Amino acid sequence: MNMKAIMIVFKKELTDLLRDKKTVIVGILIPLIIFPIMFGLIGRSVEGNIKKTSENLKIAIQSQDKSQLAVFLKSQKNITVVDSNDIKKDVQEGKIYVGLIIPQNIEESIKDEKSAEIKIIYDDTSQNSNMACNIIKSLIEEYSKEIVKSRLMSKGIDYSILTPINIKEEIAAKDEGGFGKFMLSLLLPLMLIIYGMTGPMAAATDLGAGEKERGTLEPLLTTQAGRMSLLFGKLLSITVMGFMGTVSSIIGLMIGVKAGGSVFGGDMPLLLSPITVIMIGIFVLLIIMVFGALELSISIYARSFKEAQTYLSPLTIIGMAGAYGTYMIDVKNVSTILFNVPLANVSLIIKEFIIGIYNPLHIGMTFGWNLVYIFLAVLFARYMFSKEEVIFRA
Amino acid sequence: MIEVKGLCKYFKNVKAVDNINFTVSEGEIVGLLGENGAGKTTTLRMIATMLKPTSGTALINGYDLLKEPDKVRSNIGILFGGEAGLYDRLTARENIKYFADLNNMNENESRENIDRLVKMLDMEEYVDRRVGKFSRGMKQKVAIARSIVHNPKVMLFDEPTLGLDVTSSKIVQDFILSCKNENKAIVFSSHSMQEVEKLCDRIVIIHKGKIIEDMRVDDFKGKYGEDFEKAFVGLVGDK
């Protein structure tokens, strides 16, 4: 293996890949802009919808004796009471979000200190109707509490008798932004592993099967650069491209979360320290190296670009299984055994970093195992590159 | 210059090349003739160290391909037929320079050689343009320059005019003759009898992995008559 030849191959491959509009667009630009667009649109539309619904709740009230509750609801600024001849039908058709049927004798029941039954008609398949139902229920709850309060007061009893225990919540997390970090610990490992896997794919396809398809591989094999120098030069450029793709995806994701507003927690601070980002970056790089080597091995086996893409797609599913497997695991009570499992260990270590846990044993195990995976993946790539039946498979 | 000694290549149980021996001297063009699947490309790939022989060896400019494959590669240039095999997103100069660098040439050497080849092949106008939109003839010139940029003593041509139009074929044929004038040892594989007759000093006919004839072109004509095609079909058909 010749370092000079490796660097020549690396430099050429990187230039070649960065000049390929398709690779740059698919691998770097799309991940960078797709999340801001997607999250931004979804976030703004959901936020807009929530605002629109909660600011103008269209309801219908069927109350024959003009109850005080109906008056209370009508007095709310965000409620518009509309007339309806058939409440059920109007709710189904979305003309009103919610219908309320207040019984005739409600005022008497309240006066007699009895319970009254109110019927809320809503459509559980409609987001707006569900939201309106919750708002109306909380308003009725508020009204109900007022009644209880006045009943107790008339009997000379303090209202606080109903709340013998008050709960005061205090967050034990070391830093601020605990919820934001929790959300990130769910989302980020999954995304990073998927991008670590898919990031090098386009480059690996181009540098293996693409080289075969273009007829450039054979002339390359007749140069003085040995096969291993060619392989390592290619692996290096695939890793760099994969890393660039992953970084752009993550930047896109972060911008997307911010652009999506409160719907995706974008109003919360991200609170990841530079050290955390670097530590996460190192482990993502390891994943990229493992998958880059595997993808290049598979790609060099394929006869054509198309064939390589077909062979490479199952790899994504395997990777996703590893990432999803740890999705709901709470890293504060995680078993050390799990740090022996490929992909799961990287997912868990990233979760730990986000939460602020730096366990030397877990870091050592994950790092060590991933070095082993890289070694095995490179060994496999080396085997494939030295096999005549693979290189000249046509 | 080239000394092939008992080369054999088996792919599983198939004998692709079966104990072949031939030599090529400096300034000599040897035509490797055979039908598709006869073993021509496998032979050239073994000489170029791309494939490992099952047994036998070859000496290229004195270097044994089994013992010193790097030295062998520094002494050979190879030009393939069909697609030129260039990097479309690199310029013609970058394509040639990549191969000069991979063949351990220093900056000055490669610059001088590239400039000389650009002039020789009349590529000044487009050498700094990306090759993606080049015509077949332009691409062929770049491939030629790439194959010879490191001044190899031995040239291997594997059906280099395959799929080329008349003008592009002429460029390749002229290049082969210029290599002969530079005293290089040349192996030229083809199944075009006319081309072989026109360019080669000697022909080696290979059939089902074995050499069935190896003689000078003049002697071949004397033995089998002027009609090359008829002679070839007769020879191959008999076996």
Tab-separated table of all heavy atoms in Angstrom, chain B residues 138-176:
chain	number	residue	atom	x	y	z
B	138	MET	N	-12.211	12.211	-30.283
B	138	MET	CA	-11.501	13.003	-29.268
B	138	MET	C	-11.215	12.147	-28.030
B	138	MET	O	-10.114	12.182	-27.471
B	138	MET	CB	-12.355	14.230	-28.875
B	138	MET	CG	-12.430	15.314	-29.930
B	138	MET	SD	-13.962	16.278	-29.757
B	138	MET	CE	-13.456	17.527	-28.610
B	139	LYS	N	-12.215	11.364	-27.648
B	139	LYS	CA	-12.045	10.503	-26.472
B	139	LYS	C	-10.939	9.473	-26.712
B	139	LYS	O	-10.145	9.179	-25.823
B	139	LYS	CB	-13.356	9.772	-26.148
B	139	LYS	CG	-14.362	10.636	-25.420
B	139	LYS	CD	-15.556	9.814	-24.988
B	139	LYS	CE	-16.519	10.677	-24.186
B	139	LYS	NZ	-17.713	9.976	-23.784
B	140	GLN	N	-10.928	8.945	-27.936
B	140	GLN	CA	-9.938	7.930	-28.267
B	140	GLN	C	-8.525	8.496	-28.157
B	140	GLN	O	-7.608	7.839	-27.677
B	140	GLN	CB	-10.214	7.394	-29.680
B	140	GLN	CG	-9.651	6.020	-29.942
B	140	GLN	CD	-10.174	4.969	-28.965
B	140	GLN	OE1	-11.320	5.021	-28.548
B	140	GLN	NE2	-9.321	4.042	-28.567
B	141	LYS	N	-8.381	9.760	-28.575
B	141	LYS	CA	-7.065	10.401	-28.477
B	141	LYS	C	-6.641	10.550	-27.017
B	141	LYS	O	-5.478	10.347	-26.676
B	141	LYS	CB	-7.096	11.781	-29.142
B	141	LYS	CG	-7.051	11.719	-30.663
B	141	LYS	CD	-6.961	13.114	-31.221
B	141	LYS	CE	-6.872	13.105	-32.736
B	141	LYS	NZ	-6.780	14.458	-33.291
B	142	VAL	N	-7.609	10.902	-26.161
B	142	VAL	CA	-7.284	11.044	-24.734
B	142	VAL	C	-6.868	9.681	-24.173
B	142	VAL	O	-5.893	9.570	-23.422
B	142	VAL	CB	-8.494	11.609	-23.935
B	142	VAL	CG1	-8.144	11.766	-22.460
B	142	VAL	CG2	-8.955	12.937	-24.512
B	143	ALA	N	-7.608	8.646	-24.559
B	143	ALA	CA	-7.290	7.296	-24.071
B	143	ALA	C	-5.892	6.870	-24.541
B	143	ALA	O	-5.139	6.236	-23.798
B	143	ALA	CB	-8.336	6.303	-24.563
B	144	ILE	N	-5.557	7.245	-25.769
B	144	ILE	CA	-4.235	6.916	-26.301
B	144	ILE	C	-3.159	7.626	-25.478
B	144	ILE	O	-2.189	7.002	-25.024
B	144	ILE	CB	-4.141	7.346	-27.798
B	144	ILE	CG1	-4.955	6.374	-28.661
B	144	ILE	CG2	-2.697	7.401	-28.265
B	144	ILE	CD1	-5.119	6.810	-30.113
B	145	ALA	N	-3.357	8.922	-25.264
B	145	ALA	CA	-2.378	9.696	-24.504
B	145	ALA	C	-2.219	9.124	-23.100
B	145	ALA	O	-1.106	9.008	-22.580
B	145	ALA	CB	-2.812	11.159	-24.440
B	146	ARG	N	-3.341	8.720	-22.504
B	146	ARG	CA	-3.311	8.163	-21.154
B	146	ARG	C	-2.513	6.854	-21.110
B	146	ARG	O	-1.785	6.594	-20.161
B	146	ARG	CB	-4.754	7.915	-20.707
B	146	ARG	CG	-4.875	7.374	-19.309
B	146	ARG	CD	-6.292	7.017	-18.989
B	146	ARG	NE	-6.792	5.928	-19.838
B	146	ARG	CZ	-8.019	5.456	-19.796
B	146	ARG	NH1	-8.899	6.006	-18.983
B	146	ARG	NH2	-8.411	4.466	-20.560
B	147	SER	N	-2.658	6.051	-22.158
B	147	SER	CA	-2.008	4.735	-22.144
B	147	SER	C	-0.485	4.832	-22.294
B	147	SER	O	0.235	3.916	-21.927
B	147	SER	CB	-2.589	3.861	-23.254
B	147	SER	OG	-2.165	4.333	-24.519
B	148	ILE	N	-0.028	5.955	-22.824
B	148	ILE	CA	1.402	6.027	-23.155
B	148	ILE	C	2.135	7.116	-22.369
B	148	ILE	O	3.350	7.277	-22.499
B	148	ILE	CB	1.554	6.247	-24.686
B	148	ILE	CG1	2.886	5.729	-25.169
B	148	ILE	CG2	1.283	7.671	-25.097
B	148	ILE	CD1	3.011	5.687	-26.659
B	149	VAL	N	1.398	7.806	-21.509
B	149	VAL	CA	1.977	8.973	-20.826
B	149	VAL	C	3.226	8.631	-19.999
B	149	VAL	O	4.127	9.445	-19.845
B	149	VAL	CB	0.905	9.687	-19.958
B	149	VAL	CG1	0.449	8.831	-18.798
B	149	VAL	CG2	1.397	11.034	-19.472
B	150	HIS	N	3.309	7.394	-19.505
B	150	HIS	CA	4.447	7.022	-18.651
B	150	HIS	C	5.576	6.348	-19.441
B	150	HIS	O	6.433	5.700	-18.848
B	150	HIS	CB	3.951	6.111	-17.524
B	150	HIS	CG	3.240	4.874	-17.989
B	150	HIS	ND1	2.051	4.929	-18.693
B	150	HIS	CD2	3.529	3.561	-17.869
B	150	HIS	CE1	1.658	3.690	-18.978
B	150	HIS	NE2	2.551	2.848	-18.485
B	151	ASN	N	5.586	6.530	-20.751
B	151	ASN	CA	6.641	6.003	-21.635
B	151	ASN	C	6.872	4.502	-21.492
B	151	ASN	O	7.996	4.058	-21.230
B	151	ASN	CB	7.983	6.696	-21.338
B	151	ASN	CG	7.973	8.111	-21.820
B	151	ASN	OD1	7.357	8.412	-22.842
B	151	ASN	ND2	8.655	8.985	-21.090
B	152	PRO	N	5.854	3.697	-21.665
B	152	PRO	CA	6.069	2.252	-21.507
B	152	PRO	C	6.868	1.678	-22.680
B	152	PRO	O	6.831	2.210	-23.789
B	152	PRO	CB	4.644	1.693	-21.504
B	152	PRO	CG	3.844	2.678	-22.274
B	152	PRO	CD	4.468	4.006	-22.062
B	153	LYS	N	7.565	0.584	-22.403
B	153	LYS	CA	8.378	-0.051	-23.462
B	153	LYS	C	7.532	-1.067	-24.232
B	153	LYS	O	7.885	-1.488	-25.313
B	153	LYS	CB	9.579	-0.779	-22.833
B	153	LYS	CG	10.538	0.162	-22.119
B	153	LYS	CD	11.548	0.727	-23.108
B	153	LYS	CE	12.581	1.605	-22.447
B	153	LYS	NZ	12.070	2.911	-22.016
B	154	VAL	N	6.432	-1.465	-23.597
B	154	VAL	CA	5.573	-2.497	-24.196
B	154	VAL	C	4.146	-1.946	-24.295
B	154	VAL	O	3.660	-1.337	-23.356
B	154	VAL	CB	5.577	-3.764	-23.293
B	154	VAL	CG1	4.526	-4.762	-23.738
B	154	VAL	CG2	6.955	-4.397	-23.287
B	155	MET	N	3.526	-2.154	-25.458
B	155	MET	CA	2.139	-1.696	-25.607
B	155	MET	C	1.227	-2.884	-25.896
B	155	MET	O	1.544	-3.723	-26.740
B	155	MET	CB	2.018	-0.697	-26.765
B	155	MET	CG	2.485	0.717	-26.446
B	155	MET	SD	1.606	1.504	-25.068
B	155	MET	CE	-0.052	1.633	-25.675
B	156	LEU	N	0.109	-2.923	-25.168
B	156	LEU	CA	-0.875	-3.978	-25.400
B	156	LEU	C	-2.149	-3.319	-25.930
B	156	LEU	O	-2.633	-2.345	-25.352
B	156	LEU	CB	-1.198	-4.712	-24.094
B	156	LEU	CG	-0.009	-5.250	-23.282
B	156	LEU	CD1	-0.492	-5.843	-21.962
B	156	LEU	CD2	0.743	-6.315	-24.079
B	157	PHE	N	-2.653	-3.819	-27.023
B	157	PHE	CA	-3.890	-3.268	-27.606
B	157	PHE	C	-4.938	-4.369	-27.650
B	157	PHE	O	-4.743	-5.373	-28.339
B	157	PHE	CB	-3.623	-2.756	-29.032
B	157	PHE	CG	-2.688	-1.585	-29.080
B	157	PHE	CD1	-1.320	-1.771	-29.225
B	157	PHE	CD2	-3.171	-0.295	-28.979
B	157	PHE	CE1	-0.453	-0.694	-29.272
B	157	PHE	CE2	-2.317	0.796	-29.022
B	157	PHE	CZ	-0.947	0.597	-29.167
B	158	ASP	N	-6.015	-4.182	-26.893
B	158	ASP	CA	-7.055	-5.214	-26.869
B	158	ASP	C	-8.243	-4.756	-27.713
B	158	ASP	O	-9.066	-3.970	-27.259
B	158	ASP	CB	-7.490	-5.462	-25.411
B	158	ASP	CG	-8.429	-6.652	-25.291
B	158	ASP	OD1	-8.589	-7.391	-26.285
B	158	ASP	OD2	-9.009	-6.839	-24.203
B	159	GLU	N	-8.293	-5.250	-28.929
B	159	GLU	CA	-9.323	-4.861	-29.899
B	159	GLU	C	-9.573	-3.348	-29.835
B	159	GLU	O	-10.705	-2.903	-29.590
B	159	GLU	CB	-10.613	-5.648	-29.645
B	159	GLU	CG	-10.348	-7.143	-29.710
B	159	GLU	CD	-11.610	-7.983	-29.802
B	159	GLU	OE1	-12.651	-7.444	-30.186
B	159	GLU	OE2	-11.530	-9.183	-29.536
B	160	PRO	N	-8.555	-2.558	-30.086
B	160	PRO	CA	-8.656	-1.109	-29.827
B	160	PRO	C	-9.571	-0.363	-30.791
B	160	PRO	O	-9.976	0.749	-30.487
B	160	PRO	CB	-7.220	-0.625	-29.991
B	160	PRO	CG	-6.587	-1.611	-30.902
B	160	PRO	CD	-7.228	-2.924	-30.632
B	161	THR	N	-9.886	-0.968	-31.932
B	161	THR	CA	-10.731	-0.244	-32.893
B	161	THR	C	-12.186	-0.709	-32.839
B	161	THR	O	-12.999	-0.287	-33.662
B	161	THR	CB	-10.194	-0.404	-34.333
B	161	THR	OG1	-10.075	-1.800	-34.595
B	161	THR	CG2	-8.860	0.276	-34.507
B	162	LEU	N	-12.481	-1.565	-31.854
B	162	LEU	CA	-13.836	-2.112	-31.735
B	162	LEU	C	-14.870	-0.990	-31.593
B	162	LEU	O	-14.783	-0.156	-30.702
B	162	LEU	CB	-13.898	-3.023	-30.505
B	162	LEU	CG	-15.167	-3.853	-30.332
B	162	LEU	CD1	-15.162	-5.050	-31.276
B	162	LEU	CD2	-15.287	-4.335	-28.897
B	163	GLY	N	-15.822	-0.964	-32.491
B	163	GLY	CA	-16.910	0.014	-32.413
B	163	GLY	C	-16.536	1.424	-32.857
B	163	GLY	O	-17.323	2.347	-32.687
B	164	LEU	N	-15.327	1.598	-33.391
B	164	LEU	CA	-14.924	2.946	-33.807
B	164	LEU	C	-15.263	3.189	-35.269
B	164	LEU	O	-15.264	2.262	-36.081
B	164	LEU	CB	-13.412	3.137	-33.618
B	164	LEU	CG	-12.860	3.115	-32.198
B	164	LEU	CD1	-11.370	3.434	-32.222
B	164	LEU	CD2	-13.580	4.114	-31.315
B	165	ASP	N	-15.502	4.456	-35.607
B	165	ASP	CA	-15.729	4.776	-37.015
B	165	ASP	C	-14.379	4.822	-37.750
B	165	ASP	O	-13.314	4.664	-37.128
B	165	ASP	CB	-16.508	6.086	-37.160
B	165	ASP	CG	-15.787	7.263	-36.527
B	165	ASP	OD1	-14.559	7.165	-36.318
B	165	ASP	OD2	-16.451	8.275	-36.231
B	166	VAL	N	-14.441	5.052	-39.049
B	166	VAL	CA	-13.226	4.961	-39.873
B	166	VAL	C	-12.156	5.959	-39.390
B	166	VAL	O	-10.984	5.599	-39.234
B	166	VAL	CB	-13.571	5.233	-41.360
B	166	VAL	CG1	-12.334	5.148	-42.230
B	166	VAL	CG2	-14.621	4.233	-41.838
B	167	THR	N	-12.580	7.197	-39.109
B	167	THR	CA	-11.613	8.222	-38.696
B	167	THR	C	-10.951	7.848	-37.380
B	167	THR	O	-9.720	7.931	-37.249
B	167	THR	CB	-12.334	9.588	-38.529
B	167	THR	OG1	-13.245	9.750	-39.601
B	167	THR	CG2	-11.369	10.729	-38.481
B	168	SER	N	-11.763	7.415	-36.412
B	168	SER	CA	-11.195	7.064	-35.105
B	168	SER	C	-10.302	5.840	-35.218
B	168	SER	O	-9.244	5.765	-34.565
B	168	SER	CB	-12.314	6.792	-34.101
B	168	SER	OG	-13.174	7.887	-34.019
B	169	SER	N	-10.696	4.867	-36.063
B	169	SER	CA	-9.868	3.670	-36.267
B	169	SER	C	-8.510	4.071	-36.837
B	169	SER	O	-7.467	3.537	-36.450
B	169	SER	CB	-10.532	2.697	-37.236
B	169	SER	OG	-11.715	2.229	-36.680
B	170	LYS	N	-8.543	5.019	-37.748
B	170	LYS	CA	-7.300	5.479	-38.395
B	170	LYS	C	-6.359	6.093	-37.350
B	170	LYS	O	-5.146	5.868	-37.378
B	170	LYS	CB	-7.686	6.500	-39.487
B	170	LYS	CG	-6.537	7.145	-40.222
B	170	LYS	CD	-6.019	6.212	-41.315
B	170	LYS	CE	-5.036	6.853	-42.263
B	170	LYS	NZ	-3.892	7.464	-41.676
B	171	ILE	N	-6.960	6.865	-36.413
B	171	ILE	CA	-6.142	7.489	-35.360
B	171	ILE	C	-5.414	6.394	-34.570
B	171	ILE	O	-4.217	6.489	-34.309
B	171	ILE	CB	-7.032	8.330	-34.400
B	171	ILE	CG1	-7.667	9.503	-35.142
B	171	ILE	CG2	-6.236	8.825	-33.203
B	171	ILE	CD1	-8.785	10.214	-34.361
B	172	VAL	N	-6.167	5.342	-34.223
B	172	VAL	CA	-5.587	4.253	-33.430
B	172	VAL	C	-4.514	3.524	-34.230
B	172	VAL	O	-3.410	3.252	-33.725
B	172	VAL	CB	-6.692	3.269	-32.969
B	172	VAL	CG1	-6.089	2.068	-32.263
B	172	VAL	CG2	-7.675	3.962	-32.041
B	173	GLN	N	-4.824	3.231	-35.485
B	173	GLN	CA	-3.844	2.510	-36.312
B	173	GLN	C	-2.555	3.317	-36.476
B	173	GLN	O	-1.452	2.775	-36.395
B	173	GLN	CB	-4.461	2.205	-37.679
B	173	GLN	CG	-5.518	1.109	-37.591
B	173	GLN	CD	-6.355	0.995	-38.851
B	173	GLN	OE1	-6.109	1.677	-39.841
B	173	GLN	NE2	-7.353	0.134	-38.808
B	174	ASP	N	-2.694	4.616	-36.708
B	174	ASP	CA	-1.503	5.466	-36.832
B	174	ASP	C	-0.695	5.460	-35.543
B	174	ASP	O	0.532	5.475	-35.562
B	174	ASP	CB	-1.907	6.913	-37.177
B	174	ASP	CG	-2.448	7.018	-38.603
B	174	ASP	OD1	-2.274	6.037	-39.368
B	174	ASP	OD2	-3.058	8.044	-38.941
B	175	PHE	N	-1.441	5.438	-34.429
B	175	PHE	CA	-0.759	5.432	-33.126
B	175	PHE	C	0.032	4.126	-32.953
B	175	PHE	O	1.168	4.149	-32.474
B	175	PHE	CB	-1.801	5.588	-32.014
B	175	PHE	CG	-1.249	5.406	-30.638
B	175	PHE	CD1	-0.268	6.262	-30.143
B	175	PHE	CD2	-1.693	4.378	-29.815
B	175	PHE	CE1	0.248	6.090	-28.868
B	175	PHE	CE2	-1.174	4.200	-28.554
B	175	PHE	CZ	-0.208	5.055	-28.079
B	176	ILE	N	-0.579	3.012	-33.358
B	176	ILE	CA	0.123	1.719	-33.228
B	176	ILE	C	1.418	1.747	-34.063
B	176	ILE	O	2.489	1.335	-33.596
B	176	ILE	CB	-0.798	0.548	-33.668
B	176	ILE	CG1	-1.975	0.439	-32.690
B	176	ILE	CG2	-0.036	-0.765	-33.738
B	176	ILE	CD1	-3.083	-0.505	-33.111
